[in-house]
Amino acid sequence: MLPLVASLLVAPLPAHADELPFRDPDLPRATRIADLLARLTVDEEVSLLHQYQPAIPRLGIGAFKTGTEALHGVAWLGGATVFPQALGLANTWNPDLVERVGAVTGREARGFHAKDPAHNGLNLWAPVVNPLRDPRWGRNEEGYSEDPYLTGRISTAFGHGVQGDHPDYLQAAPTLKHYLAYNVEDDRVTVDSIVPPRILKDYDEAAFRPAISADAATGVMASYNLVNGRPTHVGPELDEVVRSWTDEDLMIVGDAGGASNVAGAQRYHPNRVEGNAAAIRAGLDSFTEDDRNSAPTTASVKAAIDRGLITAADVEDAARHVLSIRFRLGEFDPPGRNPHASTTPDVIDAPEHRQLARQVAAEQVVLLRNDRNTLPLSTADTKEVAVVGQLADTLYEDWYSGTMPYRVTPLQGLAERAAVTSSEGVDHIRLRDLATGKYVTASTSDSGAPLTATEVTPGDASGFDVFDWGEGTVTLRAAANGRTVSLGDGRSLVNNARQPNGWFVQQQFELVALPDGSFVLEYAGNDVTQSWFGRGRYAVVGADGRLTVTAETPAAAAKFGREVVRSGVDSAVQAAKGADAAVVVVGSMPFINGREDDDRETTVLPAGQRAVIDAVREANPRTVVVLESGYPYAGDWDTADLPAVLWTTHAGQETGHAIADVLFGDHNPSARLTQTWYRSDADLPDKLRYDISKSGHTYQYFTGEPLYPFGHGLSYTSFGYSRLRVDRTAVDASGEVRVRVDVTNRGDRAGAEVVRLYSRQPASRARQPLKRLRAFDRVELRPGETKTVQLTVRAADLAFWDVTREKPVVESAPHELAVGPLTRVISVRGETIPPRDLRRVTQAQNFDDYSGVTLVDTTKERGTAVASTAPGQWVSFEDVDLGRSSRSLTARVANPDAPTTVEVRLGGPGGRLAGTLAVPTTADGHSWTAVTAPLLGATGRQDVYLVFTGKARIDNLTVEGSP
């Protein structure tokens, strides 16, 4: 007998229901969907628009849930194969391997679905394709690359794997996250990403388009932020842009609470009814709101219909998109038709999946440095290895990680190769309440208990290990039971956590030194910023000795003596002395060092971890550093005399085996960085600047010297490049160039090289990137072997968004193609962008350059306008043909502030004044009116500047005059 939830999902068909046309797999899908929609009531169609779609028993239709997390393996449903973080998958530069990972992820999703169809859905919310514009982004680990082309290649591979290779049926349905221009967690719901049209098209959209165009994804998720003044959940681009990339139906989903934010924190619409109606009009099909309670969403949608804000046809259109995915998953087909439907839970954590996890974990390890061929280690002369550092004998899961079915730590992996000594390199301390002289003691119970300061004589239960995660944040692990101290009920401190975890990570503390040499214990969980948390942040010792976090100031807190029982640095040095090699494993804690809803303030390696590296290097000249994190590290740690440095993401259950495989040479590193590693946080621009061409973000526009550049990665062998040739030196805009290069393995080990082709356009009407990745291939070579690698560049892919005519354009220009150290120049025969014609209505956002202005919404529904926020800001329109005489300029303006003016200047922001627009006060920022200014001396080809003398908005402009 089926359990209740399953029986609700697979409700028996009513009599003759199996004969209805929508259940006939031989009919066209569109016909079947139309038939089903015709049988549904409006209320039933509305019910399909929530994440938790109820069953419709009268038609034998089961329940359906959107949204199973599957970023690097299936998450949150129980033990499953855990692959390296998404950033690590991209480090492989191996789309074929990533496709295999996607296939396993989709297969295990089917296995979980078979266990509990009602709650383990087949619509997967992965992959994340937001370009990794800034490494301080808390969700950096979730993305693939700062480059949109590489992101597109990897996401397409993962998506194809998830979907499976059947021509008619989806194994699972991947959804791309998060559309669009989303790279900031701090105040993410109200962050307004200001992105000029060209960056929006050529960078942000360019990362999403490939997987959709290749039918490797079945939809996108709207992001939390606003873009150019409008919440993405009500942005018309969902329907008008994203859906234009494919002929397949897409299901566009909201992020959790994202649609209600429109009327909530974003205050964009006055109430939920209007906000949800706007989202449906914009193209949103599925609302992720109120967890399993669909009632508020369905009620608001029905109210929107009643008020005429949307029509029943709008709801039917959204329901059609939802049903299209359910049909492709085979839900309405007879048994035996869909081969994926026979998948059982036995596939979860299958032996071949474990083997793939180990392979991928090894392939994503980047060899950053290898002076004097320190690596690989040899079993002949490496009999004893010291494995030290905070991450030496632990593996951490991240917010979107699955539950590892087993864990091979670096220490365990290396112990299979050599004798090991070990130390976590953390201080072991005792805390003594200076008011009473008694020591803080933890429970030996596996489940922990509140900490108390009651022991006069310290024992083993009085010890705590202090883990340094940077920015002053530490975690405290109780020696009494090996559990991490957390904030518990009643604000008591409890030693109960296996690892820092939770939406609010309540295992974070700071040991604050006072001038008198004492310490106070400050709670630093990320819930302290919530209004409900209150002001108490410091630990006190009650009359019963119990520690609670209730003091509002350090002065009111308990003062503790911090007694170091064992120095972490000293213990690490002791372990490293005399070992044949020392491996220092340091890095991040994924729940602390930035994640969803929590950006990093710095990318510098924590000082406590750096101290261990320096001391171990001093004690053992054969020191190898293994960095384990989901983001790049900056700082001066690399200037130390470190023979070898590896970097791995948090790579899942097989991390320890993978590190050992690389260190001992069973795997020759071939991974490459997909993101720039900056030397200093000072090299990073303001993280809110989304215009990478102005800010200097990413390898495309960064002019400084990086710590490690995009694409960096070493091998245990060396590769030589020769005979770069092209099959043509000139190409039309519709043509392509085949580039061939000979790559030789010059070493004595087999290895794989990632051959990358970049282009640069040195002459252009618009500012061009310093270089841009156009193609790559991964080639495996035996020692001494040479292979010819062919890479193809389509001239159309060299196009960029032309703001003067609002379309992509391939310019007539030379292009420098670079592969390795070799370059060739080709001539592209495209078109010459003509002078601007401002006699046509020109959107103000299509400026060529700007200073200080921002972009805003023209109306609540659509459009983008320019807004000034202070006097002296400007926008420019370059190379404008003003003809023999331009008599006037008319602009569509709005201005909720005091009357102001906009100066029309020629040649520069301080150039000759040709006219002045008087901008009146309007009702609000969406109330537009036309104003006109006469122009004097505006002739010929000129750069036209609009200089604001106060706050104002301009939607468009037109010049009147003689050609």
Side-chain angles (χ1 to χ4, degrees):
M1 182 176 179
L2 288 171
L4 177 60
V5 291
S7 63
L8 287 174
L9 182 82
V10 291
L13 292 178
H16 307 298
D18 58 341
E19 299 175 5
L20 297 176
F22 77 84
R23 292 196 177 274
D24 184 352
D26 295 323
L27 290 176
R29 190 195 317 150
T31 301
R32 300 175 68 191
I33 294 173
D35 176 75
L36 176 53
L37 286 170
R39 299 177 189 279
L40 299 176
T41 66
V42 172
D43 283 358
E44 287 169 341
E45 289 179 351
V46 170
S47 75
L48 300 177
L49 307 193
H50 190 265
Q51 179 184 19
Y52 287 87
Q53 302 166 31
I56 305 174
R58 69 183 185 86
L59 293 173
I61 296 174
F64 185 86
K65 173 187 175 288
T66 66
T68 292
E69 301 294 351
L71 192 59
H72 51 110
V74 179
W76 302 1
L77 300 183
T81 305
V82 177
F83 294 101
Q85 292 174 312
L87 181 60
L89 299 182
N91 283 351
T92 67
W93 291 66
N94 190 340
D96 292 339
L97 185 65
V98 172
E99 183 168 348
R100 291 171 59 196
V101 172
V104 167
T105 302
R107 190 176 307 127
E108 293 199 359
R110 277 279 176 180
F112 278 108
H113 182 68
K115 291 174 67 172
D116 187 354
H119 300 112
N120 298 343
L122 293 173
N123 169 232
L124 309 189
W125 285 352
V128 170
V129 298
N130 299 103
L132 303 181
R133 176 186 60 94
D134 192 306
R136 291 167 296 192
W137 185 31
R139 304 182 76 167
N140 195 84
E141 66 202 28
E142 297 182 34
Y144 290 135
S145 172
E146 68 184 28
D147 181 79
Y149 171 76
L150 178 57
T151 296
R153 287 282 302 274
I154 299 297
S155 60
T156 298
F158 186 84
H160 276 317
V162 166
Q163 292 181 168
D165 55 8
H166 195 279
D168 299 318
Y169 294 105
L170 297 172
Q171 178 174 242
T175 299
L176 306 182
K177 301 197 304 187
H178 314 78
Y179 191 87
L180 183 75
Y182 172 49
N183 277 132
V184 172
E185 296 303 302
D186 296 340
D187 302 317
R188 61 181 176 168
V189 170
T190 54
V191 161
D192 191 358
S193 305
I194 306 304
V195 196
R198 187 175 164 212
I199 301 301
L200 195 73
K201 294 291 183 182
D202 293 349
Y203 189 67
D204 290 284
E205 283 184 8
F208 281 82
R209 183 169 185 165
I212 297 291
S213 298
D215 293 329
T218 58
V220 302
M221 173 188 283
S223 56
Y224 279 121
N225 54 298
L226 299 88
V227 174
N228 298 337
R230 183 180 297 106
T232 64
H233 279 70
V234 296
E237 297 80 12
L238 295 175
D239 207 33
E240 297 172 4
V241 175
V242 176
R243 286 198 163 99
S244 72
W245 295 336
T246 179
D247 293 329
E248 279 285 3
D249 272 327
L250 300 175
M251 181 175 69
I252 295 177
V253 306
D255 208 338
S260 60
N261 288 337
V262 171
Q266 293 166 342
R267 302 183 183 278
Y268 197 73
H269 283 289
N271 53 63
R272 190 165 183 169
V273 173
E274 293 186 41
N276 285 1
I280 290 173
R281 291 195 304 269
L284 195 75
D285 305 311
S286 180
F287 290 80
T288 310
E289 304 288 330
D290 304 298
D291 296 321
R292 300 177 188 227
N293 180 16
S294 63
T297 294
T298 55
S300 69
V301 173
K302 291 174 187 177
I305 297 173
D306 293 341
R307 290 173 54 183
L309 299 173
I310 55 175
T311 66
D314 293 326
V315 171
E316 182 175 294
D317 197 38
R320 177 181 294 106
H321 297 142
V322 173
L323 288 173
S324 72
I325 305 306
R326 294 179 66 169
F327 271 93
R328 293 180 69 190
L329 288 167
E331 178 182 343
F332 304 109
D333 287 5
R337 290 294 293 255
N338 176 8
H340 300 304
S342 62
T343 304
T344 69
D346 294 339
V347 303
I348 300 170
D349 187 33
E352 61 270 24
H353 298 180
R354 294 185 172 194
Q355 183 178 0
L356 181 62
R358 180 169 181 168
Q359 178 185 351
V360 179
E363 284 206 18
Q364 59 87 49
V365 174
V366 182
L367 179 59
L368 296 175
R369 181 171 176 175
N370 192 24
D371 295 352
R372 300 178 296 279
N373 295 320
T374 298
L375 296 177
L377 303 176
S378 168
T379 55
D381 60 7
T382 312
K383 303 297 184 181
E384 182 178 328
V385 178
V387 188
V388 301
Q390 286 189 189
L391 282 79
D393 195 26
T394 188
L395 295 182
Y396 288 124
E397 294 168 350
D398 59 54
W399 179 248
Y400 284 106
S401 171
T403 302
M404 288 184 263
Y406 61 92
R407 299 169 186 242
V408 181
T409 69
L411 176 63
Q412 292 168 337
L414 286 164
E416 296 177 10
R417 305 300 186 98
V420 295
T421 57
S422 68
S423 164
E424 290 175 306
V426 298
D427 286 348
H428 184 72
I429 69 168
R430 296 189 184 114
L431 294 175
R432 184 167 60 91
D433 179 11
L434 296 181
T436 65
K438 295 179 180 179
Y439 287 88
V440 177
T441 305
S443 168
T444 57
S445 166
D446 190 55
S447 58
L451 305 185
T452 58
T454 56
E455 297 296 323
V456 175
T457 303
D460 292 341
S462 302
F464 297 90
D465 297 319
V466 183
F467 290 78
D468 178 12
W469 301 113
E471 300 180 41
T473 300
V474 300
T475 53
L476 302 173
R477 187 181 63 197
N481 66 352
R483 298 296 181 93
T484 299
V485 176
S486 306
L487 185 69
D489 295 338
R491 300 217 174 179
S492 61
L493 298 182
V494 184
N495 58 319
N496 62 355
R498 291 185 181 277
Q499 73 164 61
N501 64 86
W503 182 254
F504 295 116
V505 185
Q506 298 183 315
Q507 295 79 34
Q508 302 179 79
F509 297 90
E510 291 189 29
L511 280 165
V512 182
L514 300 181
D516 63 1
S518 66
F519 290 81
V520 295
L521 184 62
E522 179 182 2
Y523 174 68
N526 51 352
D527 48 355
V528 297
T529 60
Q530 302 300 305
S531 59
W532 46 260
F533 187 83
R535 299 176 61 184
R537 296 174 61 168
Y538 297 90
V540 299
V541 178
D544 59 355
R546 181 176 297 194
L547 272 66
T548 58
V549 176
T550 53
E552 295 184 6
T553 65
K559 290 186 177 183
F560 295 100
R562 182 183 186 273
E563 300 178 2
V564 179
V565 180
R566 183 182 65 250
S567 162
V569 168
D570 290 348
S571 64
V573 167
Q574 187 62 36
K577 282 182 178 179
D580 297 318
V583 177
V584 186
V585 190
V586 293
S588 71
M589 202 289 141
F591 278 79
I592 292 177
N593 296 115
R595 42 145 264 212
E596 183 172 359
D597 207 39
D598 184 14
D599 285 323
R600 278 172 287 279
E601 294 180 10
T602 180
T603 59
V604 173
L605 192 69
Q609 299 189 41
R610 169 64 191 271
V612 171
I613 292 174
D614 290 345
V616 171
R617 173 64 185 87
E618 183 72 21
N620 191 318
R622 202 177 181 200
T623 293
V624 177
V625 172
V626 176
L627 301 172
E628 187 174 349
S629 71
Y631 57 92
Y633 278 114
D636 63 352
W637 55 269
D638 188 65
T639 62
D641 182 20
L642 297 173
V645 181
L646 299 174
W647 174 55
T648 173
T649 62
H650 294 277
Q653 61 209 45
E654 287 286 349
T655 299
H657 281 148
I659 290 174
D661 289 344
V662 172
L663 289 175
F664 278 92
D666 292 349
H667 176 77
N668 188 351
S670 59
R672 303 291 183 264
L673 298 180
T674 68
Q675 192 173 13
T676 302
W677 285 43
Y678 297 91
R679 286 194 173 276
S680 167
D681 287 339
D683 289 332
L684 291 166
D686 182 346
K687 68 179 180 181
L688 294 176
R689 296 190 67 185
Y690 275 79
D691 182 355
I692 62 172
S693 70
K694 290 279 278 189
S695 70
H697 276 98
T698 83
Y699 80 95
Q700 292 189 33
Y701 294 100
F702 180 60
T703 57
E705 182 182 353
L707 182 64
Y708 294 114
F710 174 85
H712 174 77
L714 304 177
S715 169
Y716 294 152
T717 188
S718 62
F719 301 97
Y721 288 78
S722 62
R723 300 184 64 233
L724 178 65
R725 58 264 194 208
V726 295
D727 68 340
R728 63 199 64 196
T729 58
V731 62
D732 294 329
S734 60
E736 63 182 28
V737 177
R738 285 188 289 274
V739 180
R740 292 181 177 85
V741 65
D742 292 347
V743 183
T744 302
N745 182 344
R746 294 177 173 171
D748 58 3
R749 286 178 174 269
E753 170 72 326
V754 178
V755 182
R756 306 181 302 278
L757 186 153
Y758 297 91
S759 77
R760 185 174 76 92
Q761 183 179 339
S764 173
R765 184 193 181 282
R767 184 185 182 191
Q768 295 293 334
L770 301 172
K771 64 177 182 177
R772 186 162 176 179
L773 181 69
R774 298 298 184 182
F776 68 88
D777 194 12
R778 186 174 179 277
V779 57
E780 296 188 9
L781 297 167
R782 298 186 303 273
E785 183 181 14
T786 297
K787 287 185 178 178
T788 298
V789 177
Q790 178 175 299
L791 302 169
T792 300
V793 179
R794 296 172 60 246
D797 292 337
L798 302 176
F800 62 89
W801 188 255
D802 175 21
V803 294
T804 73
R805 293 171 295 171
E806 294 186 289
K807 68 174 188 178
V809 61
V810 177
E811 269 188 313
S812 292
H815 284 256
E816 182 179 279
L817 304 181
V819 182
L822 309 176
T823 60
R824 289 289 184 275
V825 176
I826 62 169
S827 176
V828 176
R829 295 187 293 258
E831 59 179 305
T832 299
I833 298 174
R836 272 189 182 269
D837 183 1
L838 295 187
R839 289 170 299 177
R840 298 181 301 193
V841 176
T842 299
Q843 296 298 312
Q845 67 161 329
N846 288 322
F847 47 70
D848 287 291
D849 200 2
Y850 64 100
S851 176
V853 299
T854 190
L855 295 174
V856 295
D857 54 336
T858 305
T859 70
K860 296 282 188 180
E861 295 286 334
R862 64 185 59 252
T864 300
V866 170
S868 63
T869 58
Q873 296 175 350
W874 53 264
V875 294
S876 69
F877 303 87
E878 298 172 1
D879 191 24
V880 177
D881 187 353
L882 295 172
R884 289 176 296 168
S885 175
S886 292
R887 295 186 296 272
S888 64
L889 184 147
T890 299
R892 188 168 181 251
V893 299
N895 178 25
D897 294 292
T900 186
T901 61
V902 177
E903 298 173 343
V904 183
R905 293 186 176 271
L906 304 179
R912 185 170 63 80
L913 182 66
T916 301
L917 289 164
V919 181
T921 299
T922 60
D924 55 44
H926 296 127
S927 297
W928 299 93
T929 186
V931 297
T932 300
L935 297 178
L936 297 176
T939 62
R941 290 172 69 166
Q942 302 266 10
D943 293 342
V944 176
Y945 284 74
L946 301 183
V947 182
F948 295 85
T949 63
K951 295 181 179 180
R953 298 182 173 198
I954 298 180
D955 177 37
N956 60 49
L957 61 148
T958 312
V959 169
E960 299 289 340
S962 303

